[in-house]
Amino acid sequence: MLEKTFGCCRYVYNRGLSVKMALYQKEKKGISIFQIIKNMTVWKTEKETEWLNEVSAQALQMSLKNLDTAYTRFFKNKKGFPKFKNKHGKNSFCNPQATRIKNGKLYIPKFKKGIKIILDRKTEGEIKSSVVTKTPTNKYFVSILTEDSKIEPKIKQPKKNRTLGIDLGIANYLTDSNGETVENPRFLAKKLKRLRQQQRILSRKQKGSHNREKQRLRVAKLHEKVTNCRKDFLHKLTKKLVENQNYDSIAMENLDVAGMLHKGRKNKLSRHISDASW
């Protein structure tokens, strides 16, 4: 049922994107999200796509809303044109309502018997929505948005003599205003040789075969390992910084990472900048 929901959300997203693109190319006009949702009700009555009725309508609508947000962002902020989704990438669907957790199970629309979950932490406050995600390594996660009645604390004005300045780099990951440095772990560089070997093997596999899928999973797991190591390093480093009692505030430089990546192509620094994950 999860796979079916991912597939249906992916289908309406891709079909909605093709409708938007076709209309703009033909008439230089846009189409509202409400009109596309109306079109989706028609798709459900078509014999070829009547299977759209088998999944949550709210999840399908949220997929189209995400498409509209990405499409609007492109024209307003020039932030990358939306791409067609495929089943081998990261898949997700959103449940804007009716999310419950009871007796170690997650209850969302169309899942009456619930889904067994391992709860990372207890939810606090009222559950507003949830997003179910499948990673390229076939792992499933759910992120839950809650709302509580807590008042945000007022931010105190920082004192200069109790502020730590941080300068980010590649040779050393960071250098602070006290002269201390943190070595750059270079997680991608350590796995690069292995990644290249596995990606070469993948390129030789026949498309659509079971062996290609097995090899794709091996490559995805290597990428996931690099990502997890990087996240672990960043979380431990930031926790160490904020728990230090010698200063009250931290000041960091505002880097234009996207611009640095573009310029880094000439001197082959782009991969090192991406690996640093500033």
Side-chain angles (χ1 to χ4, degrees), residues 2-13:
L2 285 169
E3 292 295 335
K4 190 180 290 185
T5 309
F6 289 134
C8 291
C9 289
R10 188 171 60 245
Y11 175 82
V12 297
Y13 184 97

Side-chain angles (χ1 to χ4, degrees), residues 94-101 106 117 119 121-131 142-152:
C94 179
N95 305 287
Q97 295 175 344
T99 298
R100 292 185 300 115
I101 295 175
L106 173 74
I117 59 171
L119 200 61
R121 68 192 74 176
K122 290 183 179 180
T123 57
E124 296 181 7
E126 181 187 0
I127 296 177
K128 305 298 288 185
S129 64
S130 62
V131 178
V142 57
S143 58
I144 297 168
L145 176 67
T146 62
E147 184 178 10
D148 56 35
S149 56
K150 293 179 181 177
I151 301 172
E152 291 185 8

Side-chain angles (χ1 to χ4, degrees), residues 108 132 138 150 183 200 231 236 252-253:
I108 53 178
V132 181
N138 298 335
K150 293 179 181 177
E183 186 182 353
R200 275 199 297 268
K231 284 182 178 179
K236 287 177 178 176
M252 297 179 67
E253 56 186 328

Side-chain angles (χ1 to χ4, degrees), residues 156-160 162-165 241 244 246-251:
K156 298 178 181 178
Q157 288 296 323
K159 298 176 182 178
K160 288 184 180 181
R162 291 184 59 83
T163 298
L164 182 75
L241 288 170
N244 195 314
N246 295 327
Y247 38 82
D248 299 328
S249 56
I250 300 170

Side-chain angles (χ1 to χ4, degrees), residues 75-134:
F75 283 98
K76 283 188 176 181
N77 305 326
K78 306 300 179 185
K79 294 284 186 181
F81 192 77
K83 296 179 181 178
F84 289 101
K85 295 187 176 183
N86 67 80
K87 64 180 180 180
H88 298 301
K90 185 179 178 181
N91 287 274
S92 64
F93 66 87
C94 179
N95 305 287
Q97 295 175 344
T99 298
R100 292 185 300 115
I101 295 175
K102 188 178 179 181
N103 299 329
K105 286 188 175 183
L106 173 74
Y107 292 89
I108 53 178
K110 296 289 183 178
F111 290 84
K112 294 181 180 179
K113 294 182 179 180
I115 307 167
K116 289 182 180 179
I117 59 171
I118 299 171
L119 200 61
D120 179 58
R121 68 192 74 176
K122 290 183 179 180
T123 57
E124 296 181 7
E126 181 187 0
I127 296 177
K128 305 298 288 185
S129 64
S130 62
V131 178
V132 181
T133 305
K134 178 189 174 185

